[in-house]
Amino acid sequence: MTLRCFVASFLDRPSADLLAAAARQALAQLGPGARALRAVAPENYHVTLRFLGAQPAAAVAPLQALVGSLQGHPVTAQVLTIGGFPRARRALVQAAELAAQPQLQAWAVALGEQLGPGDRPFRAHITLARARRPLYLPPLVLDEPLAVTLAAPLLYRSDTRRDGAVYQALLPGDTLS
């Protein structure tokens, strides 16, 4: 059995609710173009520290130990803009871009040192909506930076479904099914 895995820090619920309100504001400013986007549920807002892809079940325990070695704790980050990711032109994702946050960067670097270089450089963002085709998503600069709290990083399983992804934390001692 293989599991599609990633390491992430999820937003706490109050932060997710605040960010969801800002995301709705950003969508409203897009006008009719907003219909091309499918919103991500606020309970799924997170910063991916490392995407791991398909992993054999036997790799889960060592990965849990690696994530545990990060000595994670909640951190606060600042959302500065909401817009197209990785760039405004031809974006497939609307995302909240985070100001540089040293702890998130340190966790991403530590994972890279243990797992090797990733497919792309770490850039802290939270996916808010997805598009089926590339489109122009101009950045919305927030009037005031929005502070969000992210939980300690954990290993997650991702199951993609027609109506969106379902994420499950993989905690030590969990039974895999």
Side-chain angles (χ1 to χ4, degrees):
M1 168 172 58
T2 61
L3 300 110
R4 187 172 185 258
C5 297
F6 64 104
V7 179
S9 292
F10 273 68
L11 271 68
D12 68 7
R13 191 58 203 218
S15 296
D17 291 342
L18 283 172
L19 187 53
R24 285 190 296 274
Q25 176 188 359
L27 284 175
Q29 290 185 1
L30 288 176
R35 288 190 297 252
L37 293 167
R38 186 180 65 222
V40 171
E43 60 269 18
N44 285 339
Y45 288 175
H46 66 275
V47 172
T48 300
L49 298 167
R50 180 64 179 256
F51 180 72
L52 302 168
Q55 297 292 315
V60 169
L63 288 168
Q64 289 167 325
L66 172 59
V67 174
S69 74
L70 298 175
Q71 299 179 353
H73 52 81
V75 297
T76 300
Q78 300 290 320
V79 175
L80 299 177
T81 63
I82 295 175
F85 187 85
R87 58 196 158 283
R89 300 223 180 273
R90 301 192 49 77
L92 288 171
V93 170
Q94 181 194 47
E97 291 260 12
L98 302 181
Q101 207 296 339
Q103 188 61 65
L104 292 175
Q105 186 69 35
W107 288 332
V109 167
L111 290 166
E113 288 171 351
Q114 294 296 314
L115 300 169
D119 292 344
R120 56 185 74 106
F122 175 71
R123 192 166 147 201
H125 70 282
I126 300 162
T127 298
L128 305 172
R130 297 183 184 282
R132 292 193 187 275
R133 59 177 173 71
L135 55 127
Y136 175 61
L137 295 174
L140 166 70
V141 177
L142 302 177
D143 294 335
E144 293 182 25
L146 178 66
V148 295
T149 302
L150 296 143
L154 292 173
L155 179 65
Y156 288 88
R157 171 185 189 168
S158 172
D159 293 313
T160 54
R161 299 183 181 165
R162 189 171 185 81
D163 58 343
V166 175
Y167 305 128
Q168 175 190 358
L170 297 173
L171 303 173
D174 282 353
T175 304
L176 302 177
S177 58

